[in-house]
C-alpha cells in the first residue's frame, strides 16, 4: 500500500483527522476525543493504513500532548506550522471557511506538498529541559509579582524609603524598624512579612531550578554558555525551543524564526528596514537578555554597539544590530554542537584505533537538507613550488631534491599561441619581439 498522510487538527478535548494519499485524495476522516478511549479508537482507525505519517498542527503548542503520545507509540509525526495550513485554506475553495474538518484537510495537504517539514523524534532529555525552563519562567513571574506587592506595602509602612531593586535582606531590615500600633498598620506589616517569606521560598526554588538547568545543558554537551551573555537559563531555553537545528537552512532562516531579522521597508530611492514583530518572541527575549548582558560587561558586543552608535544609528537600531549578531553566533554554535555530536556518534558506531581515523561519511552534515557532502578520492599532488623568495642566509635542506621552477627575467611574460608558429614575448619595456619557432 502507498503511503498516506493523516492530518490532525488538535484541541484540548478533541482531535479531528483526515487521511489523504500522495495525490491528495481523501481516504477517510473522523473526530475523536483526547482521553484514553478516544485516543485508542483513533489508533485503531489509523491501523487500516500501515504506511502512515501523522501531520500535527502546532506540535510545540496545543498539539504537543497528542504528538508526544504518538511518538511514544512509535508513530512517525510531522510538525505543520499553522501559518502554512492557513495559507492553504485561504487559497482553497470554500471562501476561507474555518472548521475542524477543513483545518485537518489543510494540514494534510501541507504535509503532502511540503518536503522539509520538521520531523519529530523522542527526546526525553530535551522534553525535561523544556519543562524545567517553563517552570523557572513561571517562578520568575511569580517573584516579580511578589516583589511588587511587597514594595507597595513597604511604601505605605515606610514612606519615602522604598527601593527600586529590593532584596530579601533589605526587606527584612526595613520590616524590623517598623512597629505600628494601629490595627491597619499591624495588618499591613503582617501581610508584608508573609510576602517576604513567600519571596524567600520562590528565590530558593529559582536558584535550584537554575542549577538543574545548568547541569542539564552541560550534560547535553552544549557549548552555548561559552558565548558572552548566554547563561544556563538562556542556553536551556534555546535548546528547548530550537530542538533540531537542522530544520533551519541557514542563519538567515534562524534569525527570521527568532525575530531578529529586520523587515525590508524600502520604497523608491529610500532604503530602510523596520523592526520585525514576527518570530518566536520568547526566543527574541532570550537574545535580548544576552545583548543587555554584553552591554553591561566589557565584551566585543559592547564595542560593536558603540561602533554602530558612532555610525549614526539610534540606540534601539544599534541594539537590533547587536541582537542579530548574537543570533548568528548562537546559530553557529548550535551547528557546531550538532556536527560534533554527529562525529561522536560516528566514532562510537564505526570505532577507531589509537591514533587512527574512523573514516569519512557522506551523511554527516547537520545543516544540509539533504545532508550530502562531496568527498575527494584524488591523491595529493607533489610539492608545490615556492611562491615567496627565501630570506638570505637560510639554507633549504630540500633544495637538491625539490624541483625548481624555470627562471624568467623580471617583467617578462611569455605567451604562446597554440595556432601560430611564433612566440611573442612582452618585455618590461613593452616592445614585443618575434622569434621564429624551430621545427620539431
Amino acid at each position: 500500500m502507498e503511503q498516506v498522510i493523516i492530518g490532525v487538527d488538535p484541541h484540548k478535548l478533541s482531535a479531528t483527522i483526515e487521511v489523504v494519499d500522495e495525490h491528495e485524495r481523501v481516504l477517510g476522516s473522523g473526530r475523536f476525543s483526547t482521553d484514553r478511549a478516544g485516543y485508542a479508537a483513533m489508533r485503531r482507525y489509523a491501523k487500516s493504513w500501515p504506511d502512515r505519517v501523522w501531520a500535527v498542527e502546532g506540535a510545540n503548542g496545543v498539539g504537543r500532548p497528542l504528538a508526544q503520545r504518538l511518538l511514544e507509540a512509535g508513530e512517525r509525526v510531522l510538525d505543520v506550522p499553522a501559518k502554512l495550513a492557513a495559507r492553504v485554506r485561504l487559497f482553497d475553495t470554500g471562501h476561507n471557511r474555518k472548521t475542524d474538518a477543513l483545518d485537518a484537510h489543510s494540514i494534510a495537504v501541507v504535509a503532502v506538498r511540503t518536503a522539509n517539514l520538521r520531523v519529530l523524534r523522542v527526546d526525553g532529555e530535551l522534553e525535561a529541559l523544556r519543562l524545567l525552563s517553563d517552570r523557572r519562567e513561571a517562578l520568575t513571574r511569580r517573584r516579580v509579582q511578589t516583589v511588587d506587592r511587597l514594595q507597595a506595602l513597604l511604601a505605605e509602612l515606610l514612606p519615602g524609603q522604598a527601593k527600586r531593586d529590593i532584596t530579601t535582606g533589605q526587606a527584612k531590615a526595613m520590616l524590623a524598624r517598623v512597629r505600628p500600633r494601629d490595627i491597619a498598620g499591624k495588618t499591613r506589616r503582617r501581610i508584608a512579612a508573609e510576602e517576604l517569606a513567600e519571596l524567600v521560598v520562590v528565590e530558593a526554588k529559582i536558584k535550584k531550578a537554575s542549577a538543574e538547568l545548568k547541569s542539564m545543558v552541560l550534560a547535553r554537551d552544549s557549548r552555548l554558555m561559552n558565548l558572552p551573555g548566554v547563561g544556563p537559563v538562556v542556553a536551556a531555553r534555546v535548546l528547548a525551543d530550537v530542538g533540531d537545528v537542522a530544520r533551519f537552512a541557514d542563519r538567515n532562516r534562524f534569525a527570521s524564526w527568532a525575530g531578529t531579522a529586520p523587515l525590508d521597508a524600502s520604497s523608491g530611492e529610500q532604503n530602510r528596514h523596520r523592526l520585525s514583530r514576527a518570530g518566536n518572541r520568547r526566543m527574541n527575549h532570550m537574545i535580548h537578555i544576552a545583548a543587555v548582558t554584553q552591554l553591561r560587561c566589557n565584551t566585543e558586543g559592547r564595542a560593536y554597539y558603540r561602533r554602530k552608535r558612532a555610525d549614526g544609528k539610534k540606540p534601539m537600531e544599534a541594539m537590533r544590530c547587536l541582537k542579530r549578531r548574537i543570533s548568528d553566533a548562537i546559530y553557529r554554535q548550535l551547528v557546531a554542537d550538532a556536527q560534533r555530536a554527529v562525529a561522536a556518534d560516528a566514532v562510537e558506531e564505526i570505532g577507531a584505533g589509537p591514533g587512527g581515523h574512523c573514516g569519512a561519511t557522506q551523511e554527516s552534515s547537520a545543516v544540509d537538507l539533504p545532508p550530502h557532502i562531496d568527498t575527494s578520492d584524488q591523491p595529493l599532488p607533489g610539492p608545490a613550488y615556492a611562491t615567496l623568495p627565501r630570506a638570505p642566509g637560510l639554507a633549504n635542506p630540500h633544495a637538491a631534491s625539490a624541483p625548481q621552477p624555470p627562471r624568467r627575467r623580471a617583467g617578462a611574460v611569455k605567451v604562446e599561441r597554440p595556432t601560430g608558429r611564433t612566440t611573442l614575448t612582452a618585455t618590461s619595456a613593452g616592445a614585443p619581439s618575434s622569434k621564429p619557432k624551430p621545427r620539431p
Side-chain angles (χ1 to χ4, degrees):
M1 299 181 63
E2 61 179 355
Q3 187 182 64
V4 299
I5 304 295
I6 305 177
V8 183
D9 181 33
H11 296 278
K12 291 183 178 180
L13 301 179
S14 65
T16 304
I17 68 172
E18 181 173 295
V19 185
V20 299
D21 59 5
E22 296 180 353
H23 303 285
E24 301 181 10
R25 290 192 297 262
V26 179
L27 305 179
S29 61
R31 182 183 178 89
F32 305 90
S33 59
T34 54
D35 55 4
R36 291 185 178 180
Y39 175 74
M42 183 175 64
R43 291 288 309 281
R44 287 194 301 268
Y45 180 77
K47 286 183 179 179
S48 302
W49 300 276
D51 191 5
R52 58 184 179 271
V53 177
W54 299 78
V56 182
E57 182 185 30
N60 281 335
V62 69
R64 182 189 297 272
L66 181 58
Q68 293 296 325
R69 295 168 74 180
L70 292 173
L71 287 175
E72 293 174 359
E75 300 284 349
R76 291 177 294 174
V77 184
L78 301 177
D79 181 18
V80 176
K83 183 182 296 185
L84 295 182
R87 190 175 301 170
V88 171
R89 187 177 62 250
L90 175 64
F91 291 100
D92 199 358
T93 58
H95 302 285
N96 198 21
R97 293 190 182 95
K98 181 173 173 59
T99 62
D100 292 344
L102 292 177
D103 287 345
H105 176 73
S106 302
I107 295 167
V109 170
V110 170
V112 172
R113 299 180 182 179
T114 309
N116 57 350
L117 290 177
R118 179 188 177 191
V119 180
L120 303 181
R121 59 191 181 96
V122 179
D123 193 342
E125 295 180 357
L126 198 63
E127 184 67 15
L129 193 65
R130 182 191 64 82
L131 293 173
L132 193 57
S133 298
D134 294 343
R135 171 62 176 168
R136 191 193 180 282
E137 185 178 350
L139 289 173
T140 304
R141 291 195 298 265
R142 182 179 171 185
R143 180 189 180 278
V144 172
Q145 295 173 358
T146 305
V147 169
D148 290 343
R149 292 193 298 265
L150 180 60
Q151 285 185 333
L153 293 171
L154 291 177
E156 296 178 358
L157 291 172
L158 297 171
Q161 299 185 22
K163 295 185 177 182
R164 180 178 180 182
D165 297 327
I166 193 171
T167 62
T168 55
Q170 294 173 349
K172 289 180 181 179
M174 295 174 68
L175 283 178
R177 301 197 307 265
V178 179
R179 291 291 185 269
R181 298 181 180 275
D182 57 330
I183 184 64
K186 292 180 180 180
T187 304
R188 188 176 291 110
R189 187 184 185 283
R190 178 176 58 84
I191 296 176
E194 294 177 355
E195 295 289 348
L196 178 58
E198 182 179 355
L199 179 60
V200 172
V201 173
V202 171
E203 287 186 348
K205 293 181 178 179
I206 292 177
K207 185 177 181 180
K208 182 180 178 181
S210 301
E212 292 181 6
L213 287 175
K214 183 177 181 180
S215 61
M216 294 179 68
V217 171
L218 294 177
R220 292 188 66 88
D221 195 20
S222 175
R223 300 182 182 179
L224 281 175
M225 290 189 294
N226 294 341
L227 300 177
V230 178
V233 177
V234 176
R237 175 55 64 186
V238 170
L239 293 176
D241 285 4
V242 171
D244 187 7
V245 72
R247 62 194 181 102
F248 301 104
D250 50 22
R251 62 184 180 88
N252 299 323
R253 299 290 183 88
F254 181 82
S256 178
W257 173 78
T260 57
L263 299 179
D264 191 4
S266 303
S267 178
E269 301 297 333
Q270 185 180 16
N271 186 12
R272 60 180 295 269
H273 295 78
R274 63 179 179 86
L275 175 65
S276 173
R277 297 291 183 182
N280 191 323
R281 305 313 302 170
R282 187 165 53 186
M283 179 61 58
N284 190 279
H285 179 61
M286 293 295 106
I287 296 177
H288 184 81
I289 292 176
V292 172
T293 306
Q294 288 193 12
L295 291 182
R296 291 177 179 176
C297 305
N298 187 15
T299 60
E300 295 181 1
R302 185 166 71 176
Y304 174 79
Y305 175 84
R306 291 177 176 177
R307 289 198 302 269
K308 290 297 180 181
R309 293 284 291 126
D311 293 340
K313 289 188 177 296
K314 298 179 180 179
M316 292 308 299
E317 293 177 345
M319 174 63 75
R320 288 196 289 269
C321 295
L322 177 59
K323 289 171 65 176
R324 176 56 193 271
R325 285 179 66 94
I326 295 176
S327 172
D328 295 343
I330 290 176
Y331 175 77
R332 288 194 299 267
Q333 189 60 55
L334 289 174
V335 172
D337 293 342
Q339 292 176 345
R340 189 173 62 255
V342 170
D345 293 341
V347 172
E348 184 177 355
E349 292 179 2
I350 302 175
H357 299 279
C358 62
T361 174
Q362 294 185 357
E363 303 292 335
S364 61
S365 175
V367 295
D368 295 336
L369 295 175
H372 291 298
I373 300 300
D374 295 332
T375 59
S376 176
D377 296 331
Q378 298 295 330
L380 294 177
Y385 296 128
T387 57
L388 296 178
R390 185 172 299 276
L394 295 180
N396 184 6
H398 303 286
S401 58
Q404 298 294 332
R407 289 195 172 185
R408 188 172 300 165
R409 186 176 53 186
V413 179
K414 189 175 182 180
V415 182
E416 296 185 358
R417 296 182 180 179
T419 56
R421 292 184 176 272
T422 60
T423 302
L424 297 180
T425 303
T427 62
S428 57
S433 61
S434 178
K435 185 184 298 183
K437 185 178 180 181
R439 293 181 177 273

